[in-house]
Amino acid sequence: MKYMLLIYNNPEQQPQYGTPEFEAMMGGFFAANEKMKADGVLVDGESLNEPDTATSVRVKAGKTETMDGPFAETREYLGGYYIVDVPDLDTAVTYAEMIPSAAFGTIEVRALMDYNPAG
Amino acid sequence: MTKPAAPIAINNAIENVLRHDRGRLIAGLTTRLHDLQLAEDALQDALISAMSHWGRSGLPHSPVGWLMKVGLNKGIDRVRKGQSETRKADDLMIVSAKHAERLDDEPIPDERLRLIFACCHPVLEEKSRVALTLRTVCYLTTREIAAAFLDNDVAIGQRISRAKAKLKEAGVAFEIPDQEVWPARLDAVLSTLYLIYTVGYVSEDESDRDLAAEAMFLLRLLDRLRSDDPEIEGALALVLLTEARRKARIGTDGATVPPEAQDRSLWDTHMIREGQEILAQAVERGRPGPYQIKAAIADCHMSRPKPDWQQISLLYGSLWVHEPTPVVALNWAVVMAELGKTDLAVQKIEALGTTLKDFQPYYAAYASVLGQAGRTNESRAAYERAIELAQNSSSRRFLEKKLQQENN
């Protein structure tokens, strides 16, 4: 079963470059990535550009409206994701715990829908 | 808003550098630090540094040069921390200062030849050579190696650690072997790479990492780093000429198809031509050897309209001089049967019976030759034994088909 680990955090609360916390965070990401790779569960993972670079698009009555900025004004934004292929939710959660952002943000674990109407 | 570090993006960029250049980095670090495990640990430290440095300023002008320089310093740090005899660290410092300066602007020398020779050193068991080469030079994970060899990854991981420790204990220098030991050392390398190839070639599942492709990569690399050795060229040609037929190897019924019965339209003519050109170049050097001869045999199997059995038999005669092994004798006997000398072939094969007991290809060859000699009952019995010993479903299916033909 594939799960997406969505990484939400408040950019203001992320450790800043030059601090020991920053080093620990980057090292933690490296370690998490290595572990997922060594366990053969890593399918994909990407970082997203900053939320203020987002463009939100809506089509209303056939007319396209674009808006600079993210869809919703919140504190925590989607900053990146991993997709892991693991047997169950519990295992997916153990990988979510390894992501350093879990300490100052939130990792949302969502299963990719396995749509099989016949099954 | 502050620009957030993009750890996964940086990690992906690092991965990308590693995928192309990890072998070169490990080779360069090992050559300077004289210890494979230390080189790997040092590179790991450098990668963690890269995460935070590249996280701020983006990728450096030369990521490989950056990692080599930082890795070397990390390695020296580790030596300093780990041992009281500071002399060794001081020695390394002098070397590294020279290298570090060079690394900034000059292209990094490719030291992978030394690394391959160390990974395939005769002090290691064959299986360890395979695992260590795949891990160190090709950057496969232990899990991927384990999957290819139907082993568990803990066992493969331990095997790799033991192999690294053994190289250290045995004081194996990370050097290109001298002229007088070159043939023996090269043979250990080529047999390792060829084994990697065959494991990939007969593998029936679609794994992520195709070992046949890894072996071709390694042989091409070897040929590039040492471009005047006819046996390296011979091994590369052999692999290309075999690989060219890979798509035709298994028929629609799932049974193995021998080269003479294959659908030739499935052969990769481009790859065949490349293999033939490389082989011709090797032969011109006038230093024949077993890999060149095996490549020539593979080529003659593809002669039109049918294999050139006469020529193949002569080539086995030459191969026998280099490799007087039971397996060569067995294959030679099969060729004799193709030339109509079935009784002689049966005799030759029977003479091998005690040495090749329980060797599946022995019974398959014996069965086929007995069939050609008209000795149906004995042929059937040999097919049954071969089927029992078959290692994979495609060769089992092939043998069952042959047995059925004998029954009719």
Side-chain angles (χ1 to χ4, degrees), chain B residues 124-179:
Chain B
L124 302 176
E125 280 173 45
E126 191 162 59
K127 200 170 172 188
S128 302
R129 292 181 209 164
V130 167
L132 190 58
T133 305
L134 288 173
R135 177 75 194 114
T136 314
V137 191
C138 299
Y139 191 34
L140 264 69
T141 62
T142 49
R143 179 175 288 265
E144 285 166 333
I145 299 166
F149 288 89
L150 310 173
D151 210 333
N152 76 65
D153 46 336
V154 177
I156 290 286
Q158 284 167 348
R159 182 177 280 279
I160 292 171
S161 315
R162 276 201 305 270
K164 284 187 277 198
K166 182 135 193 204
L167 288 180
K168 197 176 176 181
E169 270 166 45
V172 167
F174 292 89
E175 287 169 357
I176 296 164
D178 290 339
Q179 204 52 48

Short mmCIF file of all heavy atoms in Angstrom, two decimals, chain B residues 124-179:
data_model
loop_
_atom_site.label_atom_id
_atom_site.label_comp_id
_atom_site.label_asym_id
_atom_site.label_seq_id
_atom_site.Cartn_x
_atom_site.Cartn_y
_atom_site.Cartn_z
N LEU B 124 39.29 -12.46 -1.52
CA LEU B 124 37.86 -12.52 -1.19
C LEU B 124 37.20 -13.69 -1.91
O LEU B 124 37.60 -14.05 -3.02
CB LEU B 124 37.17 -11.22 -1.62
CG LEU B 124 37.71 -9.93 -1.02
CD1 LEU B 124 36.98 -8.74 -1.62
CD2 LEU B 124 37.56 -9.92 0.50
N GLU B 125 36.18 -14.24 -1.27
CA GLU B 125 35.37 -15.26 -1.93
C GLU B 125 34.67 -14.63 -3.13
O GLU B 125 34.38 -13.44 -3.11
CB GLU B 125 34.26 -15.74 -1.00
CG GLU B 125 34.64 -16.73 0.04
CD GLU B 125 33.45 -16.94 0.97
OE1 GLU B 125 32.32 -17.10 0.47
OE2 GLU B 125 33.67 -16.90 2.18
N GLU B 126 34.31 -15.45 -4.08
CA GLU B 126 33.69 -14.93 -5.30
C GLU B 126 32.40 -14.16 -4.99
O GLU B 126 32.16 -13.07 -5.51
CB GLU B 126 33.40 -16.08 -6.25
CG GLU B 126 33.00 -15.58 -7.62
CD GLU B 126 33.14 -16.66 -8.67
OE1 GLU B 126 32.46 -17.70 -8.49
OE2 GLU B 126 33.90 -16.47 -9.63
N LYS B 127 31.58 -14.72 -4.11
CA LYS B 127 30.31 -14.07 -3.81
C LYS B 127 30.53 -12.72 -3.12
O LYS B 127 29.78 -11.76 -3.33
CB LYS B 127 29.47 -14.99 -2.92
CG LYS B 127 28.00 -14.64 -2.94
CD LYS B 127 27.18 -15.71 -2.24
CE LYS B 127 25.75 -15.27 -2.10
NZ LYS B 127 24.97 -16.20 -1.27
N SER B 128 31.58 -12.65 -2.31
CA SER B 128 31.91 -11.38 -1.64
C SER B 128 32.39 -10.35 -2.65
O SER B 128 32.08 -9.17 -2.54
CB SER B 128 32.98 -11.59 -0.58
OG SER B 128 32.55 -12.54 0.36
N ARG B 129 33.16 -10.82 -3.62
CA ARG B 129 33.62 -9.90 -4.67
C ARG B 129 32.43 -9.29 -5.39
O ARG B 129 32.38 -8.09 -5.64
CB ARG B 129 34.45 -10.66 -5.72
CG ARG B 129 35.77 -11.16 -5.22
CD ARG B 129 36.49 -11.86 -6.37
NE ARG B 129 37.35 -12.89 -5.87
CZ ARG B 129 37.86 -13.87 -6.61
NH1 ARG B 129 37.59 -13.92 -7.91
NH2 ARG B 129 38.64 -14.77 -6.09
N VAL B 130 31.48 -10.15 -5.73
CA VAL B 130 30.29 -9.69 -6.44
C VAL B 130 29.55 -8.64 -5.60
O VAL B 130 29.24 -7.55 -6.07
CB VAL B 130 29.37 -10.88 -6.75
CG1 VAL B 130 28.00 -10.40 -7.20
CG2 VAL B 130 29.99 -11.77 -7.81
N ALA B 131 29.29 -8.99 -4.35
CA ALA B 131 28.50 -8.10 -3.48
C ALA B 131 29.22 -6.78 -3.27
O ALA B 131 28.62 -5.69 -3.36
CB ALA B 131 28.22 -8.78 -2.15
N LEU B 132 30.52 -6.85 -3.00
CA LEU B 132 31.28 -5.64 -2.71
C LEU B 132 31.37 -4.73 -3.94
O LEU B 132 31.24 -3.51 -3.84
CB LEU B 132 32.69 -6.03 -2.22
CG LEU B 132 33.55 -4.92 -1.64
CD1 LEU B 132 32.88 -4.26 -0.44
CD2 LEU B 132 34.92 -5.45 -1.23
N THR B 133 31.56 -5.33 -5.10
CA THR B 133 31.64 -4.54 -6.34
C THR B 133 30.31 -3.84 -6.61
O THR B 133 30.28 -2.65 -6.94
CB THR B 133 32.01 -5.43 -7.54
OG1 THR B 133 33.21 -6.14 -7.23
CG2 THR B 133 32.22 -4.62 -8.80
N LEU B 134 29.23 -4.58 -6.46
CA LEU B 134 27.91 -3.99 -6.74
C LEU B 134 27.59 -2.87 -5.76
O LEU B 134 27.03 -1.85 -6.12
CB LEU B 134 26.82 -5.07 -6.68
CG LEU B 134 26.82 -6.05 -7.84
CD1 LEU B 134 25.81 -7.17 -7.59
CD2 LEU B 134 26.51 -5.36 -9.16
N ARG B 135 27.97 -3.08 -4.50
CA ARG B 135 27.68 -2.07 -3.48
C ARG B 135 28.56 -0.84 -3.68
O ARG B 135 28.11 0.29 -3.63
CB ARG B 135 27.90 -2.68 -2.09
CG ARG B 135 27.69 -1.72 -0.93
CD ARG B 135 26.22 -1.46 -0.68
NE ARG B 135 26.00 -0.31 0.19
CZ ARG B 135 25.43 0.81 -0.21
NH1 ARG B 135 24.99 0.95 -1.45
NH2 ARG B 135 25.25 1.82 0.63
N THR B 136 29.85 -1.08 -3.87
CA THR B 136 30.83 0.00 -3.83
C THR B 136 30.94 0.74 -5.16
O THR B 136 30.99 1.96 -5.19
CB THR B 136 32.21 -0.55 -3.45
OG1 THR B 136 32.05 -1.43 -2.36
CG2 THR B 136 33.15 0.54 -3.07
N VAL B 137 30.99 0.00 -6.25
CA VAL B 137 31.22 0.66 -7.54
C VAL B 137 29.89 1.03 -8.20
O VAL B 137 29.78 2.07 -8.83
CB VAL B 137 32.06 -0.23 -8.48
CG1 VAL B 137 32.51 0.57 -9.70
CG2 VAL B 137 33.29 -0.78 -7.76
N CYS B 138 28.88 0.16 -8.04
CA CYS B 138 27.60 0.42 -8.74
C CYS B 138 26.56 1.08 -7.85
O CYS B 138 25.50 1.46 -8.32
CB CYS B 138 27.01 -0.86 -9.29
SG CYS B 138 28.06 -1.68 -10.48
N TYR B 139 26.82 1.18 -6.53
CA TYR B 139 25.92 1.88 -5.63
C TYR B 139 24.56 1.20 -5.54
O TYR B 139 23.53 1.85 -5.47
CB TYR B 139 25.78 3.34 -6.09
CG TYR B 139 25.08 4.25 -5.12
CD1 TYR B 139 25.20 4.09 -3.75
CD2 TYR B 139 24.28 5.30 -5.57
CE1 TYR B 139 24.54 4.93 -2.87
CE2 TYR B 139 23.62 6.15 -4.70
CZ TYR B 139 23.76 5.96 -3.35
OH TYR B 139 23.11 6.79 -2.48
N LEU B 140 24.52 -0.14 -5.58
CA LEU B 140 23.28 -0.85 -5.28
C LEU B 140 23.13 -0.93 -3.76
O LEU B 140 24.12 -0.97 -3.05
CB LEU B 140 23.34 -2.29 -5.83
CG LEU B 140 22.72 -2.52 -7.20
CD1 LEU B 140 23.53 -1.84 -8.28
CD2 LEU B 140 22.62 -4.01 -7.50
N THR B 141 21.88 -0.98 -3.28
CA THR B 141 21.69 -1.18 -1.85
C THR B 141 21.86 -2.67 -1.55
O THR B 141 21.74 -3.51 -2.44
CB THR B 141 20.28 -0.76 -1.40
OG1 THR B 141 19.32 -1.58 -2.06
CG2 THR B 141 19.99 0.69 -1.73
N THR B 142 22.13 -2.98 -0.27
CA THR B 142 22.29 -4.39 0.10
C THR B 142 20.99 -5.14 -0.20
O THR B 142 21.03 -6.30 -0.59
CB THR B 142 22.61 -4.56 1.60
OG1 THR B 142 21.71 -3.78 2.35
CG2 THR B 142 24.02 -4.12 1.89
N ARG B 143 19.87 -4.45 -0.07
CA ARG B 143 18.59 -5.09 -0.37
C ARG B 143 18.49 -5.50 -1.84
O ARG B 143 18.04 -6.59 -2.17
CB ARG B 143 17.47 -4.10 -0.01
CG ARG B 143 16.08 -4.59 -0.28
CD ARG B 143 15.10 -3.56 0.21
NE ARG B 143 15.06 -3.55 1.65
CZ ARG B 143 14.16 -4.24 2.38
NH1 ARG B 143 13.26 -4.96 1.78
NH2 ARG B 143 14.18 -4.20 3.68
N GLU B 144 18.94 -4.60 -2.72
CA GLU B 144 18.90 -4.90 -4.15
C GLU B 144 19.83 -6.06 -4.50
O GLU B 144 19.50 -6.91 -5.33
CB GLU B 144 19.28 -3.65 -4.97
CG GLU B 144 18.17 -2.61 -5.01
CD GLU B 144 18.61 -1.25 -5.52
OE1 GLU B 144 19.81 -0.90 -5.37
OE2 GLU B 144 17.76 -0.51 -6.02
N ILE B 145 20.99 -6.09 -3.84
CA ILE B 145 21.93 -7.18 -4.10
C ILE B 145 21.33 -8.49 -3.59
O ILE B 145 21.36 -9.51 -4.28
CB ILE B 145 23.29 -6.91 -3.42
CG1 ILE B 145 23.91 -5.63 -3.99
CG2 ILE B 145 24.24 -8.09 -3.61
CD1 ILE B 145 25.06 -5.09 -3.18
N ALA B 146 20.75 -8.44 -2.38
CA ALA B 146 20.14 -9.64 -1.80
C ALA B 146 19.03 -10.17 -2.70
O ALA B 146 18.94 -11.38 -2.93
CB ALA B 146 19.60 -9.32 -0.41
N ALA B 147 18.23 -9.27 -3.23
CA ALA B 147 17.12 -9.70 -4.09
C ALA B 147 17.64 -10.43 -5.32
O ALA B 147 17.11 -11.47 -5.72
CB ALA B 147 16.27 -8.50 -4.50
N ALA B 148 18.73 -9.92 -5.89
CA ALA B 148 19.28 -10.54 -7.10
C ALA B 148 19.83 -11.93 -6.82
O ALA B 148 19.80 -12.80 -7.67
CB ALA B 148 20.35 -9.65 -7.70
N PHE B 149 20.33 -12.13 -5.60
CA PHE B 149 20.94 -13.42 -5.28
C PHE B 149 20.05 -14.28 -4.39
O PHE B 149 20.51 -15.27 -3.83
CB PHE B 149 22.31 -13.21 -4.63
CG PHE B 149 23.31 -12.74 -5.64
CD1 PHE B 149 23.49 -11.39 -5.87
CD2 PHE B 149 24.05 -13.64 -6.38
CE1 PHE B 149 24.39 -10.95 -6.83
CE2 PHE B 149 24.94 -13.22 -7.33
CZ PHE B 149 25.10 -11.87 -7.55
N LEU B 150 18.77 -13.90 -4.28
CA LEU B 150 17.81 -14.63 -3.48
C LEU B 150 18.36 -14.91 -2.08
O LEU B 150 18.27 -16.01 -1.56
CB LEU B 150 17.43 -15.95 -4.17
CG LEU B 150 17.02 -15.85 -5.63
CD1 LEU B 150 16.85 -17.23 -6.24
CD2 LEU B 150 15.73 -15.05 -5.78
N ASP B 151 18.97 -13.90 -1.51
CA ASP B 151 19.56 -14.02 -0.19
C ASP B 151 18.88 -12.97 0.69
O ASP B 151 18.14 -12.13 0.18
CB ASP B 151 21.06 -13.72 -0.31
CG ASP B 151 21.87 -14.49 0.71
OD1 ASP B 151 21.31 -14.81 1.79
OD2 ASP B 151 23.05 -14.76 0.44
N ASN B 152 19.13 -13.01 2.02
CA ASN B 152 18.51 -11.93 2.80
C ASN B 152 19.50 -10.80 3.00
O ASN B 152 20.71 -10.99 2.97
CB ASN B 152 17.90 -12.45 4.11
CG ASN B 152 18.93 -12.74 5.15
OD1 ASN B 152 19.60 -11.83 5.63
ND2 ASN B 152 19.07 -14.01 5.49
N ASP B 153 18.95 -9.58 3.16
CA ASP B 153 19.85 -8.42 3.11
C ASP B 153 20.77 -8.31 4.31
O ASP B 153 21.85 -7.73 4.21
CB ASP B 153 19.10 -7.11 2.83
CG ASP B 153 17.87 -6.93 3.66
OD1 ASP B 153 17.32 -7.94 4.10
OD2 ASP B 153 17.45 -5.78 3.86
N VAL B 154 20.38 -8.90 5.45
CA VAL B 154 21.28 -8.88 6.61
C VAL B 154 22.54 -9.68 6.28
O VAL B 154 23.67 -9.23 6.52
CB VAL B 154 20.58 -9.45 7.87
CG1 VAL B 154 21.55 -9.48 9.04
CG2 VAL B 154 19.35 -8.62 8.20
N ALA B 155 22.34 -10.85 5.69
CA ALA B 155 23.48 -11.70 5.34
C ALA B 155 24.40 -11.01 4.34
O ALA B 155 25.62 -11.04 4.48
CB ALA B 155 22.98 -13.03 4.76
N ILE B 156 23.79 -10.33 3.36
CA ILE B 156 24.60 -9.64 2.36
C ILE B 156 25.36 -8.47 3.01
O ILE B 156 26.53 -8.25 2.75
CB ILE B 156 23.72 -9.13 1.19
CG1 ILE B 156 23.21 -10.31 0.36
CG2 ILE B 156 24.46 -8.15 0.31
CD1 ILE B 156 24.23 -10.98 -0.54
N GLY B 157 24.67 -7.75 3.90
CA GLY B 157 25.31 -6.64 4.61
C GLY B 157 26.52 -7.13 5.40
O GLY B 157 27.59 -6.51 5.37
N GLN B 158 26.36 -8.26 6.09
CA GLN B 158 27.47 -8.81 6.87
C GLN B 158 28.62 -9.25 5.96
O GLN B 158 29.78 -9.04 6.27
CB GLN B 158 27.00 -10.00 7.70
CG GLN B 158 26.18 -9.57 8.90
CD GLN B 158 25.45 -10.74 9.54
OE1 GLN B 158 25.36 -11.83 8.96
NE2 GLN B 158 24.92 -10.52 10.73
N ARG B 159 28.23 -9.85 4.85
CA ARG B 159 29.25 -10.30 3.90
C ARG B 159 30.09 -9.11 3.41
O ARG B 159 31.31 -9.20 3.31
CB ARG B 159 28.56 -11.00 2.72
CG ARG B 159 29.48 -11.55 1.68
CD ARG B 159 28.72 -12.29 0.61
NE ARG B 159 28.34 -13.62 0.98
CZ ARG B 159 29.17 -14.68 0.91
NH1 ARG B 159 30.39 -14.52 0.49
NH2 ARG B 159 28.75 -15.87 1.26
N ILE B 160 29.40 -7.99 3.12
CA ILE B 160 30.12 -6.82 2.63
C ILE B 160 31.04 -6.25 3.71
O ILE B 160 32.19 -5.92 3.44
CB ILE B 160 29.12 -5.75 2.11
CG1 ILE B 160 28.43 -6.27 0.84
CG2 ILE B 160 29.81 -4.43 1.83
CD1 ILE B 160 27.28 -5.42 0.35
N SER B 161 30.55 -6.18 4.96
CA SER B 161 31.41 -5.66 6.04
C SER B 161 32.62 -6.55 6.23
O SER B 161 33.73 -6.07 6.42
CB SER B 161 30.67 -5.62 7.38
OG SER B 161 29.41 -5.08 7.23
N ARG B 162 32.39 -7.88 6.21
CA ARG B 162 33.51 -8.81 6.39
C ARG B 162 34.52 -8.65 5.27
O ARG B 162 35.72 -8.68 5.50
CB ARG B 162 33.01 -10.26 6.43
CG ARG B 162 32.51 -10.70 7.80
CD ARG B 162 32.52 -12.22 7.90
NE ARG B 162 31.76 -12.85 6.82
CZ ARG B 162 30.46 -13.13 6.88
NH1 ARG B 162 29.78 -12.85 7.97
NH2 ARG B 162 29.85 -13.70 5.86
N ALA B 163 34.01 -8.45 4.05
CA ALA B 163 34.91 -8.30 2.90
C ALA B 163 35.79 -7.06 3.06
O ALA B 163 36.99 -7.10 2.81
CB ALA B 163 34.10 -8.24 1.61
N LYS B 164 35.17 -5.96 3.53
CA LYS B 164 35.95 -4.74 3.71
C LYS B 164 37.02 -4.93 4.79
O LYS B 164 38.17 -4.51 4.64
CB LYS B 164 35.03 -3.57 4.07
CG LYS B 164 34.26 -3.05 2.87
CD LYS B 164 33.48 -1.80 3.16
CE LYS B 164 32.16 -2.10 3.80
NZ LYS B 164 31.21 -0.98 3.73
N ALA B 165 36.60 -5.62 5.88
CA ALA B 165 37.54 -5.87 6.97
C ALA B 165 38.69 -6.76 6.47
O ALA B 165 39.85 -6.55 6.82
CB ALA B 165 36.83 -6.53 8.14
N LYS B 166 38.35 -7.71 5.64
CA LYS B 166 39.35 -8.64 5.14
C LYS B 166 40.38 -7.92 4.26
O LYS B 166 41.58 -8.19 4.37
CB LYS B 166 38.67 -9.76 4.35
CG LYS B 166 39.60 -10.80 3.82
CD LYS B 166 39.06 -12.18 4.07
CE LYS B 166 40.15 -13.22 3.82
NZ LYS B 166 39.58 -14.53 3.48
N LEU B 167 39.91 -7.00 3.43
CA LEU B 167 40.84 -6.25 2.59
C LEU B 167 41.82 -5.46 3.46
O LEU B 167 43.00 -5.35 3.15
CB LEU B 167 40.08 -5.27 1.67
CG LEU B 167 39.27 -5.87 0.52
CD1 LEU B 167 38.59 -4.76 -0.27
CD2 LEU B 167 40.16 -6.69 -0.41
N LYS B 168 41.29 -4.93 4.56
CA LYS B 168 42.12 -4.14 5.46
C LYS B 168 43.15 -5.05 6.15
O LYS B 168 44.33 -4.74 6.18
CB LYS B 168 41.22 -3.46 6.49
CG LYS B 168 41.90 -2.32 7.21
CD LYS B 168 40.94 -1.62 8.12
CE LYS B 168 41.64 -0.55 8.92
NZ LYS B 168 40.72 0.12 9.84
N GLU B 169 42.64 -6.16 6.71
CA GLU B 169 43.52 -7.12 7.40
C GLU B 169 44.63 -7.60 6.48
O GLU B 169 45.79 -7.70 6.89
CB GLU B 169 42.74 -8.37 7.79
CG GLU B 169 42.10 -8.35 9.14
CD GLU B 169 41.08 -9.48 9.24
OE1 GLU B 169 41.42 -10.61 8.82
OE2 GLU B 169 39.96 -9.22 9.70
N ALA B 170 44.23 -7.94 5.26
CA ALA B 170 45.21 -8.51 4.32
C ALA B 170 46.14 -7.43 3.76
O ALA B 170 47.07 -7.74 3.03
CB ALA B 170 44.48 -9.22 3.18
N GLY B 171 45.89 -6.17 4.15
CA GLY B 171 46.75 -5.08 3.69
C GLY B 171 46.71 -4.89 2.18
O GLY B 171 47.73 -4.55 1.57
N VAL B 172 45.54 -5.11 1.59
CA VAL B 172 45.42 -4.96 0.15
C VAL B 172 45.59 -3.48 -0.24
O VAL B 172 44.90 -2.62 0.29
CB VAL B 172 44.05 -5.48 -0.34
CG1 VAL B 172 43.77 -5.06 -1.77
CG2 VAL B 172 44.00 -7.00 -0.21
N ALA B 173 46.56 -3.23 -1.10
CA ALA B 173 46.80 -1.85 -1.51
C ALA B 173 45.83 -1.49 -2.63
O ALA B 173 45.49 -2.33 -3.45
CB ALA B 173 48.23 -1.72 -2.01
N PHE B 174 45.37 -0.25 -2.61
CA PHE B 174 44.44 0.16 -3.65
C PHE B 174 45.23 0.64 -4.85
O PHE B 174 45.32 1.82 -5.14
CB PHE B 174 43.49 1.23 -3.10
CG PHE B 174 42.56 0.65 -2.08
CD1 PHE B 174 42.92 0.63 -0.74
CD2 PHE B 174 41.37 0.07 -2.46
CE1 PHE B 174 42.10 0.05 0.20
CE2 PHE B 174 40.54 -0.51 -1.52
CZ PHE B 174 40.90 -0.52 -0.18
N GLU B 175 45.84 -0.33 -5.50
CA GLU B 175 46.72 -0.01 -6.61
C GLU B 175 46.33 -0.79 -7.84
O GLU B 175 45.68 -1.84 -7.74
CB GLU B 175 48.16 -0.38 -6.25
CG GLU B 175 48.77 0.58 -5.26
CD GLU B 175 50.10 0.08 -4.71
OE1 GLU B 175 50.54 -1.03 -5.06
OE2 GLU B 175 50.67 0.82 -3.92
N ILE B 176 46.76 -0.30 -8.97
CA ILE B 176 46.58 -1.06 -10.21
C ILE B 176 47.68 -2.11 -10.24
O ILE B 176 48.85 -1.79 -10.03
CB ILE B 176 46.65 -0.11 -11.42
CG1 ILE B 176 45.48 0.88 -11.34
CG2 ILE B 176 46.61 -0.90 -12.72
CD1 ILE B 176 45.61 2.08 -12.21
N PRO B 177 47.33 -3.38 -10.41
CA PRO B 177 48.34 -4.44 -10.31
C PRO B 177 49.46 -4.28 -11.33
O PRO B 177 49.25 -3.76 -12.43
CB PRO B 177 47.54 -5.72 -10.63
CG PRO B 177 46.13 -5.36 -10.51
CD PRO B 177 45.99 -3.90 -10.69
N ASP B 178 50.65 -4.75 -10.93
CA ASP B 178 51.82 -4.70 -11.82
C ASP B 178 51.66 -5.68 -12.97
O ASP B 178 50.85 -6.59 -12.90
CB ASP B 178 53.09 -5.10 -11.04
CG ASP B 178 53.45 -4.03 -10.04
OD1 ASP B 178 53.01 -2.88 -10.24
OD2 ASP B 178 54.16 -4.35 -9.06
N GLN B 179 52.52 -5.49 -13.94
CA GLN B 179 52.47 -6.30 -15.15
C GLN B 179 52.49 -7.81 -14.85
O GLN B 179 51.72 -8.56 -15.42
CB GLN B 179 53.66 -5.91 -16.04
CG GLN B 179 53.44 -6.21 -17.51
CD GLN B 179 52.11 -5.62 -18.01
OE1 GLN B 179 51.80 -4.46 -17.76
NE2 GLN B 179 51.31 -6.43 -18.69
#
